[in-house]
Amino acid sequence: MNRTSEWAVVQTDLVGSNVTIAEFAVVRSGVVIGNDVVIHPHVVLEPGVIIGDAVEIFPGAYIGKVPKGPGALTRIPHFVPKVKIGSGCSIGPHAVIFYDVEIGQSTLLGDGASVREQTRIGSDTIIGRYVTINYNTLVGNGVKIQDHTWLAGNMTIEDGVFISGGVGTSNDNAIGRKGYDEARSRGPYIERGAAIGVGANLLPGTRIGAYAIVGAGAVVTRDVPERAVVMGVPARVVLKDGY
């Protein structure tokens, strides 16, 4: 039996069973909602959003935001007007998910997190509070990204990576002064099982090898070998096989 508040706006018939839609939620035409879903107050789901079974979406989340750049952006956004959220996910209060995003099963998106277009996030992953994931970024399975981390566009994070809080990344050594060039603007590539310490900064195009460790506050200006431990500004290898 479904429970829909009389104060909710529900414009779709594609709703599963045992679904709760709270007051002041807005569900647009064409949205698909699975079974056992809970939608809290003031959630907005735009057309083209697909919600899997047993997903809970907390108050104020906005799913299906159109990327817009009213003359200010050097990069023109490209996107498909669709969002797919896998079963068992939890979407935190005031999280914003742009169009053209796919999220796997049993993934947590924390309070106030922002996920830009053309991003793919795997299963069993944690995206912490107020994390920003920019456009065309791939996040694997079993990844943990802690609060207030900023991930640049055109970035890849493989399975099992741990990224601590306050980590910064970048994708343009020209700092925007040459305009946007897709071929030149590349974020870091973090291989499977690597760990990034709190407050570290990864510069454009750097590659963090599998199971490497980047120490807290390090500034990574060059590739880090597999299983190495790097520290400092700029980051230097202090152990070639840390563990």
Side-chain angles (χ1 to χ4, degrees):
M1 179 179 177
N2 293 337
R3 296 170 293 280
T4 301
S5 169
E6 63 177 320
W7 300 107
V9 176
V10 180
Q11 300 172 336
T12 183
D13 296 324
L14 305 175
V15 179
S17 61
N18 194 34
V19 171
T20 298
I21 302 177
E23 59 273 19
F24 309 116
V26 177
V27 182
R28 297 299 187 190
S29 176
V31 171
V32 179
I33 299 174
N35 303 317
D36 305 310
V37 171
V38 178
I39 299 173
H40 288 272
H42 300 285
V43 168
V44 177
L45 305 180
E46 297 288 8
V49 171
I50 301 172
I51 305 296
D53 294 343
V55 171
E56 187 165 10
I57 307 174
F58 286 89
Y62 183 25
I63 303 177
K65 186 178 187 297
V66 174
K68 288 188 176 181
L73 295 181
T74 55
R75 173 186 175 273
I76 299 174
H78 300 283
F79 67 96
V80 175
K82 181 178 179 180
V83 175
K84 185 175 182 181
I85 297 177
S87 62
C89 287
S90 177
I91 309 300
H94 304 291
V96 177
I97 302 175
F98 284 63
Y99 270 132
D100 204 354
V101 169
E102 294 184 13
I103 300 176
Q105 299 179 356
S106 302
T107 284
L108 168 67
L109 196 67
D111 308 356
S114 176
V115 183
R116 286 278 303 274
E117 71 277 6
Q118 298 180 313
T119 288
R120 304 293 181 261
I121 300 173
S123 299
D124 303 305
T125 285
I126 297 174
I127 309 296
R129 292 170 293 182
Y130 305 104
V131 168
T132 296
I133 302 179
N134 273 282
Y135 60 89
N136 192 34
T137 291
L138 176 64
V139 179
N141 302 314
V143 173
K144 294 179 174 61
I145 302 173
Q146 302 300 300
D147 301 352
H148 298 283
T149 284
W150 194 90
L151 301 179
N154 294 329
M155 183 169 174
T156 297
I157 300 168
E158 292 187 353
D159 296 347
V161 166
F162 177 87
I163 301 177
S164 192
V167 170
T169 63
S170 51
N171 65 0
D172 182 7
N173 280 317
I175 320 177
R177 295 182 179 183
K178 295 182 180 180
Y180 183 77
D181 182 339
E182 187 79 16
R184 188 185 67 246
S185 299
R186 310 304 301 175
Y189 191 113
I190 306 177
E191 295 183 8
R192 66 191 185 280
I196 314 299
V198 63
N201 279 275
L202 313 182
L203 297 192
T206 52
R207 191 176 187 100
I208 311 302
Y211 305 104
I213 296 176
V214 175
V219 177
V220 177
T221 61
R222 63 184 67 185
D223 293 351
V224 175
E226 289 189 11
R227 297 188 178 274
V229 177
V230 300
M231 298 179 181
V233 182
R236 304 294 186 191
V237 175
V238 296
L239 288 173
K240 291 184 178 181
D241 191 351
Y243 53 100

